[in-house]
Amino acid sequence: MNTVLTYNLLALSLIANIIIGLYAVVAKPNLIKKIIGLTIVNDTVCVLLVLMGYRGIRSQPPIYIIDGTFSPPPHTVDPLPQAFVLTAIVIGFSFTVFLSVIALRIYELYGSLNLHRLLVSEVVEEVEPDIEPLEE
Amino acid sequence: MVSSRLVGVLVIVVIVFLASVVATLLYGDTLIPLFNGERYLVRMYTRYTYNLSSPNTSLSLSMVNAIVWDFRGIDTFYETLVFFTAVIASTAIYYEYLGEAVYYRRKLSPIPRTIHKLVIPIGLALGLGLAIKGLISPGGGFQGGVLGAVGFYILCFSYSLNWVIRRGLGYRVLALTRISSLILMILAIVSPVVIGWVAGLKTYVFQVSVRDNVYIGTLIYYNGYPLSMFILLFNLLEFAAVFSGSIVLLYIMAVGGYREEVRI
């Protein structure tokens, strides 16, 4: 029972982590916080995928034992999600790197990473030309 | 005075714990079904990975390695290309400043520098070891390259970026390393295929072991078993590419945001 509880606690914690990451992406106006939220979601999904190949408390890594017989471990985990997740980690890393550089450039150009402020300043620029003829 | 954020975190922790207790009591089993080892694909890969009685075996001790190279080799190459694209796109944004920037010059005190003198070679050696052993054990060029770059990052923070660049690791050298590694990688992939096509023979590229009746490819012997040297070569080139790409990213991060301050 304790093992099942621990496993369920881990699974629900990961789901809560995904919700927190999505909340950061949707609700936080700061671009860096959005990137952090995306990273949290990405990494949590990776862990969730690896968890699907878990075999309980007796799990062993999917590596052959060098003991003369070269037999596979008796309770080896599913190696497929691990192989898939490798690619996802690299893609996520590349994605985060590029987003970070874009955010850095936005900060240089506009002096802020707050999305609300950036959008408002853009709207003001668009509205001003329409107002000027009316004042004349 | 307990801050509202701490209270929020505690509330989330308690909710998750209570939810897992309730789910366990009501459901009585794991929410995500445990893997029972009966999946057909897993059985196939397990038998394929290290099976000396079969001609079609990967001869790799790690099942993940067998899957990554023998079944998903092109994916592995493409993921390196994605990282390349990210580095090139990031470089394109700051290209005009990278050549002329004067970087931070301040060094740390002698005590951390002495410690880092001992730590940095270990990081580089571990990274290179991961790349070399990635043929048959967990690891590979990407992981090795990133680990080596972490060692190099410590060097940059300890001795200053200016110190490192003055010793020959400037942006242009790293860009040349990155691009030449990528070209060599593509040549290593394409050349056996072209040679085999011209000679009318079977070839192997993204394979850990050597198949029967396949003659074109390079060999390396490990524990008396013939393994493909292509993956060793690929891992080393990927190590060089990722290592130099990661350092370029550090230079970009150093230039961005503080450009006015670092330029003299």
Side-chain angles (χ1 to χ4, degrees), chain A residues 1 7-9 12 52-55 62-64 66 78 80 83-84 86-87 90 93-94 97-98 105 108, chain B residues 20 24 29-32 34-35 39 42 45-46 61 63 72 79 83 89 94 142-143 249 256-257 259:
Chain A
M1 192 66 181
Y7 189 82
N8 285 343
L9 184 60
L12 285 174
M52 286 176 182
Y54 191 57
R55 292 186 78 164
I63 299 171
Y64 275 69
I66 307 174
D78 187 351
L80 268 176
F84 293 146
L86 273 179
T87 309
V90 175
F93 176 61
S94 311
V97 158
F98 185 60
R105 190 65 177 152
E108 273 190 6
Chain B
S20 57
T24 309
D29 200 359
T30 55
L31 295 172
I32 300 172
L34 284 174
F35 168 55
R39 292 174 194 163
V42 179
Y45 286 128
T46 311
L61 293 175
M63 292 178 203
R72 307 191 66 226
E79 77 184 25
F83 180 69
Y94 282 99
F142 195 92
Q143 290 90 330
L249 287 173
R259 208 174 58 242

Side-chain angles (χ1 to χ4, degrees), chain B residues 49-68:
Chain B
T49 300
Y50 200 95
N51 189 355
L52 292 178
S53 60
S54 167
N56 286 324
T57 175
S58 169
L59 287 177
S60 165
L61 293 175
S62 163
M63 292 178 203
V64 177
N65 275 52
I67 296 167
V68 163

Side-chain angles (χ1 to χ4, degrees), chain A residues 1-17 20 28 33 48 51-57 59 61-66 69-73 75-108, chain B residues 5 12 16-17 19-21 23-25 27-37 39 41-42 45-52 60-64 67-68 72 75-76 78-80 82-87 89-91 93-94 96-97 138 142-143 146 222-223 225 246 249 252-253 255-259:
Chain A
M1 192 66 181
N2 281 336
T3 312
V4 175
L5 178 63
T6 314
Y7 189 82
N8 285 343
L9 184 60
L10 181 59
L12 285 174
S13 305
L14 290 173
I15 290 165
N17 234 14
I20 290 167
K28 292 287 175 184
K33 287 182 181 173
L48 204 58
L51 193 69
M52 286 176 182
Y54 191 57
R55 292 186 78 164
I57 203 159
S59 293
I63 299 171
Y64 275 69
I65 303 162
I66 307 174
T69 59
F70 288 105
S71 57
H75 298 291
T76 177
V77 297
D78 187 351
L80 268 176
Q82 298 194 13
F84 293 146
V85 156
L86 273 179
T87 309
I89 290 169
V90 175
I91 304 291
F93 176 61
S94 311
F95 193 61
T96 310
V97 158
F98 185 60
L99 284 181
S100 305
V101 172
I102 292 279
L104 199 60
R105 190 65 177 152
I106 287 173
Y107 181 75
E108 273 190 6
Chain B
R5 286 186 181 181
I12 291 172
V16 169
F17 184 74
S20 57
V21 169
T24 309
L25 289 174
Y27 193 57
D29 200 359
T30 55
L31 295 172
I32 300 172
L34 284 174
F35 168 55
N36 57 12
R39 292 174 194 163
L41 270 176
V42 179
Y45 286 128
T46 311
R47 287 180 185 171
Y48 171 83
T49 300
Y50 200 95
N51 189 355
L52 292 178
S60 165
L61 293 175
S62 163
M63 292 178 203
V64 177
I67 296 167
V68 163
R72 307 191 66 226
D75 272 2
T76 308
Y78 285 161
E79 77 184 25
T80 312
V82 169
F83 180 69
F84 255 86
T85 314
V87 173
S90 306
T91 311
I93 295 171
Y94 282 99
E96 58 185 307
Y97 307 109
F142 195 92
Q143 290 90 330
V146 172
Y222 183 80
N223 281 348
Y225 297 113
S246 303
L249 287 173
I252 292 170
M253 294 289 177
V255 168
Y258 296 97
R259 208 174 58 242

Side-chain angles (χ1 to χ4, degrees), chain A residues 13-35:
Chain A
S13 305
L14 290 173
I15 290 165
N17 234 14
I18 291 174
I19 294 167
I20 290 167
L22 286 176
Y23 168 76
V25 172
V26 173
K28 292 287 175 184
N30 192 307
L31 286 177
I32 295 295
K33 287 182 181 173
K34 283 182 189 293
I35 294 171

Side-chain angles (χ1 to χ4, degrees), chain B residues 204-220:
Chain B
Y204 62 89
V205 181
F206 284 105
Q207 301 288 331
V208 178
S209 69
V210 182
R211 300 288 184 276
D212 287 344
N213 302 321
V214 178
Y215 303 103
I216 307 292
T218 47
L219 289 178
I220 183 171

